């Protein structure tokens, strides 16, 4: 790798531990809700350089896809991109990663409508939709959507004596939600948390320790709640700092990657269902 790439990788290496520090982790998860399609590494890099970023794209993409011009003197955000090589193998074109290089992107706040752009072409893109938008635009409920189209296992409602809001049973392959929280925002938050457990634990080759599983499920659910416009500030993310104190960089990075993949998968499923309802 080039010297610039090595420097950026070191910045990422040093920054991952910082992201798990108390007080910064919740802000980072909220940030992820607006950039859920980026890789975990580039999410961290963008946040470390521009925590106030709203929408990023390359110089050329702003011009060709959004009819916007990057302002002169704007400071670039550095991200890591793979060198891709297409190898023809029979009738298939197989892409291989040959290495990585540093690329530049810019935040939309550093752009303006391009000169001579058609009216409306350079308008700010709609970044995300709130829960109110989803419910008001369609005669649907979010809970039935999550149960019928997102959850990988059946969801049952029971009286849970232990005081827990819900749980995922690996042995029974089902999610159980306490009947006492039906019709509340807590129902949605709990359902998302247990859905994350269901996806994560069934895909693991080795079952993670309980604390790691809880951090991953809680964090991924937090991102989706933020994307939906739900207030998740009551989530108990304070213990993340102590949890991360005995983890290696490799373990922390792997957890971030898992959190990103889980939240992106669930958000994509919600979006797909919403789009199909428009047809």
């Amino acid at each position: 790798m080039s010297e610039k790439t090595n420097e950026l990788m070191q910045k990422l290496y040093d920054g991952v531990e910082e992201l798990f520090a108390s007080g910064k982790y919740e802000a980072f998860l909220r940030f992820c809700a607006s950039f859920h399609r980026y890789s975990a590494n580039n999410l961290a890099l963008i946040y470390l350089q521009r925590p106030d970023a709203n929408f990023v794209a390359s110089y050329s993409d702003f011009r060709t896809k959004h009819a916007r011009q990057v302002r002169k003197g704007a400071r670039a955000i550095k991200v890591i991109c793979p060198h891709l090589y297409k190898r023809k193998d029979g009738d298939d074109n197989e892409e291989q990663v040959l290495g990585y290089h540093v690329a530049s992107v810019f935040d939309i706040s550093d752009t303006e409508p391009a000169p001579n752009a058609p009216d409306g072409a350079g308008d700010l893109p709609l970044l995300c939709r709130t829960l109110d938008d989803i419910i008001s635009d369609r005669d649907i409920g979010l809970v039935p959507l999550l149960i019928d189209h997102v959850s990988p296992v059946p969801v049952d409602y029971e009286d849970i004596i232990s005081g827990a809001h819900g749980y995922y049973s690996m042995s029974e392959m089902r999610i159980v939600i306490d009947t006492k929280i039906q019709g509340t925002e807590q129902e949605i938050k709990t359902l998302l948390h247990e859905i994350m457990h269901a996806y994560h634990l069934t895909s693991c080759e080795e079952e993670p320790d309980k604390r790691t599983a809880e951090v991953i499920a809680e964090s991924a659910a937090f991102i989706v709640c933020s994307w939906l416009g739900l207030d998740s500030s009551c989530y108990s993310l304070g213990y993340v700092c102590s949890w991360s104190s005995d983890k290696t960089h490799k373990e922390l990075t792997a957890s971030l990657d898992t959190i990103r993949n889980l939240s992106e998968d669930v958000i994509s499923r919600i979006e797909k269902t919403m789009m199909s309802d428009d047809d």
Side-chain angles (χ1 to χ4, degrees):
M1 289 188 289
S2 68
E3 182 177 348
K4 287 186 177 180
T5 305
N6 282 327
E7 289 176 358
L8 195 61
M9 292 294 288
Q10 186 62 48
K11 182 180 183 69
L12 173 64
Y13 187 96
D14 295 337
V16 166
E17 284 86 352
E18 183 181 356
L19 290 180
F20 281 98
S22 179
K24 295 186 177 181
Y25 189 61
E26 181 176 335
F28 174 64
L29 293 183
R30 292 186 188 279
F31 180 86
C32 291
S34 297
F35 294 89
H36 59 91
R37 287 189 174 89
Y38 281 78
S39 70
N41 283 342
N42 279 333
L43 273 171
L45 283 172
I46 294 169
Y47 179 78
L48 290 168
Q49 296 169 80
R50 284 291 297 272
D52 60 338
N54 292 301
F55 179 87
V56 301
S58 67
Y59 185 95
S60 60
D61 277 355
F62 268 124
R63 287 185 62 88
T64 60
K65 297 181 180 180
H66 304 292
R68 297 187 69 83
Q69 175 69 48
V70 176
R71 295 190 184 97
K72 186 176 181 180
R75 184 178 179 182
I77 304 168
K78 302 300 183 181
V79 294
I80 298 171
C81 293
H83 294 304
L84 295 178
Y85 170 75
K86 286 189 175 181
R87 184 185 65 183
K88 291 187 177 181
D89 186 8
D91 295 330
D92 298 326
N93 289 333
E94 182 181 353
E95 286 188 336
Q96 291 184 321
V97 177
L98 298 182
Y100 295 89
H101 66 276
V102 176
S104 295
V105 295
F106 298 86
D107 185 56
I108 198 166
S109 62
D110 291 325
T111 69
E112 57 193 11
N116 303 319
D119 290 343
D123 292 346
L124 300 181
L126 181 63
L127 302 184
C128 62
R129 311 187 62 200
T130 66
L131 180 61
D132 289 340
D133 294 328
I134 296 170
I135 294 176
S136 63
D137 283 359
R138 297 170 178 80
D139 186 19
I140 63 170
L142 184 57
V143 170
L145 185 153
L146 293 174
I147 293 175
D148 297 336
H149 301 285
V150 177
S151 179
V153 296
V155 177
D156 297 318
Y157 285 80
E158 299 176 1
D159 291 328
I160 301 178
I161 302 175
S162 67
H165 292 313
Y167 63 87
Y168 166 62
S169 172
M170 285 190 68
S171 60
E172 299 175 352
M173 293 294 290
R174 69 178 183 133
I175 290 170
V176 178
I177 303 296
D178 189 13
T179 54
K180 293 188 289 295
I181 65 171
Q182 278 186 281
T184 68
E185 283 193 355
Q186 187 62 56
E187 178 186 15
I188 299 173
K189 298 172 187 177
T190 302
L191 185 55
L192 281 169
H193 180 99
E194 302 308 333
I195 285 173
M196 296 306 178
H197 273 315
Y199 277 116
H200 178 218
L201 296 178
T202 54
S203 65
C204 292
E205 295 182 2
E206 295 183 6
E207 184 176 349
D209 64 86
K210 185 175 181 179
R211 292 179 69 205
T212 299
E214 286 300 320
V215 167
I216 288 173
E218 190 118 336
S219 300
F222 186 99
I223 291 173
V224 179
C225 283
S226 296
W227 178 78
L228 288 168
L230 282 171
D231 180 13
S232 301
S233 57
C234 61
Y235 270 44
S236 55
L237 295 170
Y239 61 84
V240 170
C241 185
S242 61
W243 166 83
S244 62
S245 62
D246 60 350
K247 300 296 179 184
T248 66
H249 179 271
K250 183 177 180 180
E251 290 173 314
L252 294 177
T253 302
S255 294
L256 276 184
D257 201 42
T258 301
I259 291 164
R260 179 265 174 200
N261 290 337
L262 285 171
S263 58
E264 162 64 4
D265 186 24
V266 168
I267 289 173
S268 296
R269 290 172 187 270
I270 295 173
E271 287 182 327
K272 183 178 179 181
T273 302
M274 288 164 51
M275 290 176 65
S276 65
D277 286 343
D278 281 338
D279 299 335

